Amino acid sequence: MSRRVRRKVARKGKEKVVLPCYPEIEEEVSGSVQNWIVDWTSLPDDTVIQLFSCLNYRDRASLSSTCKTWRVLGISPCLWTSLDLRAHKCNDAMAASLAARCVNLQKLRFRGAESADAILHLQARNLREISGDYCRKITDATLSVIVARHEALESLQLGPDFCERISSDAIKAIAICCPKLKKLRLSGIRDVHADAIIALTKHCQNLTDIGFIDCLNIDEMALGNVLSVRFLSVAGTSNMKWGVVSHLWHKLPNLTGLDVSRTDIGSAAVSRLLSSSQSLKVLCALNCPVLEDDTNFAPRKYKNKLLLARFTEIMKEIAFLLVDITKKGKNMFLDWRNSKNKDKSLDDIMTWIEWILSHTLLRIAESNQQGLDVFWLKQGASLLLNLMQSSQEDVQERAATGLATFVVIDDENASIDCGRAEAVMRDGGIRLLLNLAKSWREGLQSEAAKAIANLSVNANVAKAVAEEGGINILAGLARSMNRLVAEEAAGGLWNLSVGEEHKGAIAEAGGVKALVDLIFKWSSGGDGVLERAAGALANLAADDKCSTEVAVAGGVQALVMLARNCKFEGVQEQAARALANLAAHGDSNSNNAAVGQEAGALEALVQLTQSPHEGVRQEAAGALWNLSFDDRNREAIAAAGGVEALVALAQGCSNASPGLQERAAGALWGLSVSEANSIAIGREGGVVPLIALARSEAADVHETAAGALWNLAFNPGNALRIVEEGGVPALVNLCSSSVSKMARFMAALALAYMFDGRMDEFALIGTSSESISKSVSLDGSRRMALKHIEAFVLTFSDQQTFSAAAASSAPAALAQVTEGARIQEAGHLRCSGAEIGRFVTMLRNPSSVLKACAAFALLQFTIPGGRHAMHHASLMQNAGAARVLRAAAAAATAPLEAKIFARIVLRNLEHHHIEPSL
């Protein structure tokens, strides 16, 4: 029914539980510790009852169970005059267990057909008001039995979703069984026939408030004979005969308020109703296209009559009803509530206006209609904020839901209208919403948290929420035992955690532990709350410090459990993303290893790469990529079938998003660090899809594909496969034209591996079985490769700077060359001893191009400040690199680039205090 934005980017110890704690009653306790003992059971009965009245039903029952005295007080009739079951799965057994408390129950709210069926077991014969939503599956039979058992009913409301299985027969049953009925509001009835309306007229002579909302057909003539009606809404109803309406309904002697919003009423009917009706005071016609498009209609003031429409100033119209307080400010509703001059007739009108406006504004927001920006910014947002301060709980809820909904432009892409969001913020909406979120009423908590979550997609609103204390409030709500409240609170933390500046505050507020606990608490049957909790943890895990807190709070176990067991793709995607982010801090904490060691984690992620949903595949591949940086994880992923799964993923993602392509190639890059995995990837057919990905238009995909091919090319068998499958032109293209320096660098290194002579020796023994029939000119490929390697290296070789460096051994000259040749991202690459040894050997290669390329590569790997520079310098010492570098630097036949780069590498080794080997 309503839309929500879903965004993609605690410390353990002894815990002592005294009493349930809620945001609305939390206070910071300061001062010295009291040394006396409080005997809670000695509190006066009326104090305990007052305390109970501030708790929801679940916690009231829990607290009642602590002692016999409180058990008796907990079932006091005054505590059970109203009951809201919407957040609970109310079946027959639950209803029967509550029956003893419901003898004096007067007001009931429920959700869904199962709860409707269970109402009878409450045995609340004195019910005065019933309100239900999610009523699509409620039948005539169920509704007829309910009203037959509650003949004292004065108010029945079902909606706002459509009551598709309720017909006029049920309305007749309501009329016959409930003679005291004063208010009847039903949504989405297909046909409201004349006989049903006549039955209401005959049997319910106190019926003053009727709403047949979003119906298909209504008998207008019969409705025009309900003489008792004061307030009538046919909002959203189709197929109305407005000629009949305007000629009949103006004769209704008591009709005070009429709502025709979201219908096709025209100006003629509106004019006749306002001019002819003696009793009508308010006509609401919001979002009526025919009326709004009539350029000839000029709304004029009718004595003591208001027209509420998009083209009128609604708050000023309402002010005419409040003559004595028109100068008190913008919030006419608040002025009315605070007025000392009470007028029951006026109160009835204002209460009805609040209800119909909240309903219609929510419906308009849900439709996501184009062309309403001016209305929302000038009137709609302000109206919703005013309605949030209503004394009617359902009006407050709908207003909060309206705020959550009207800012959303595109739910799937998590897009909101920034202008609308900031309009809410400017008018004080954040504080109002946070105050609602602190209410003990769970319905208000849920809808307010949803609005805060959606508005917080805007960075300025998120900042305001944090400054107003919203993070602590949401963290508190995330601990709620009410799943709907916890779900919306987790959504708020998810959106707030997008901002780097809020992550620490969420952790300090206990949000990390609350989110982890949510996953364990709702591990089954709570897909919405699980997705939001996992999404928030994924954002938090991207921060180094917060990622440690997530692990300490049990987040690794919780997220792996979701990846293994949950079947909902949204949860799978966020759980995999969270694990990927946890594993991304391998240099600063042990989370990478911890994820890999969690039972079933790697197997689950490998399995998720085969998901039918692209987002799940992408995040699973990203997680495996990050995890593959750990040596043990790398081999364990391969043992779990990761090579085969990732090759299959790469083969199937030629038309996928760049994000999936990048991660698929990245995961293969990570696995191929191991030569055994590299060989397995080549054998499984991984070369062809990686070559295809190297031809991508996305620079990020260039980098990962080039990195994977570089690793694969270290093995001569794979190198030959790359040549045979047309990989040389793809790598040459990357080397010469990619916008990514890293992609160009690694493509050049891959080509250097392929043509440093080792592949030639392998080719002499025999080609791979997959390519026996293919004839490839290695000489032609070699010439092409060397030409582009040379061109690549020369792009980092300024001749003037190099000449100055050749003429002088001054450090400043070499430093200038280094700065011009530096590829910043190359400092993150980590090479093995075998790879370093291969580049050292390449310095002796007869090809001057390969000598220069090898010296250039070793320069990148040893530049001071690089993440792995010390590691590479140590490997070079083990390989006896200093002697070879000196020889290269002094060789008369070596190119200038090779000489200068070799001198710089020697200087780098000295910087790292590596003694030259003689």
Side-chain angles (χ1 to χ4, degrees), residues 436-598:
L436 275 191
K438 291 190 288 186
S439 165
W440 66 270
R441 293 183 172 89
E442 292 175 328
L444 293 178
Q445 290 176 355
S446 173
E447 298 308 320
K450 182 192 298 182
I452 293 166
N454 285 5
L455 290 163
S456 295
V457 173
N458 178 276
N460 292 329
V461 175
K463 181 181 179 182
V465 169
E467 290 173 348
E468 293 280 358
I471 288 175
N472 284 309
I473 292 171
L474 290 171
L477 293 179
R479 302 183 188 100
S480 173
M481 292 297 293
N482 182 317
R483 182 178 60 80
L484 298 178
V485 174
E487 180 176 322
E488 300 303 346
L493 293 174
W494 185 2
N495 288 344
L496 283 166
S497 63
V498 171
E500 295 297 324
E501 66 274 25
H502 304 312
K503 291 178 180 178
I506 292 172
E508 289 174 11
V512 170
K513 188 175 189 307
L515 291 164
V516 171
D517 289 345
L518 274 184
I519 292 175
F520 289 117
K521 186 186 300 180
W522 304 104
S523 57
S524 60
D527 291 341
V529 69
L530 294 176
E531 180 181 14
R532 287 161 179 74
L537 289 173
N539 287 349
L540 293 168
D543 176 82
D544 185 30
K545 184 178 178 181
C546 288
S547 73
T548 301
E549 293 216 24
V550 171
V552 169
V556 173
Q557 181 185 354
L559 292 164
V560 170
M561 178 185 69
L562 293 183
R564 292 181 64 186
N565 302 328
C566 189
K567 303 304 179 186
F568 178 59
E569 64 272 13
V571 178
Q572 293 174 338
E573 180 177 348
Q574 297 309 320
R577 186 169 73 91
L579 291 171
N581 287 348
L582 280 173
H585 307 281
D587 291 339
S588 55
N589 61 45
S590 59
N591 287 348
N592 191 306
V595 172
Q597 291 165 14
E598 185 67 31

Side-chain angles (χ1 to χ4, degrees), residues 29-38:
V29 180
S30 61
S32 60
V33 177
Q34 304 299 323
N35 56 9
W36 59 81
I37 298 174
V38 177

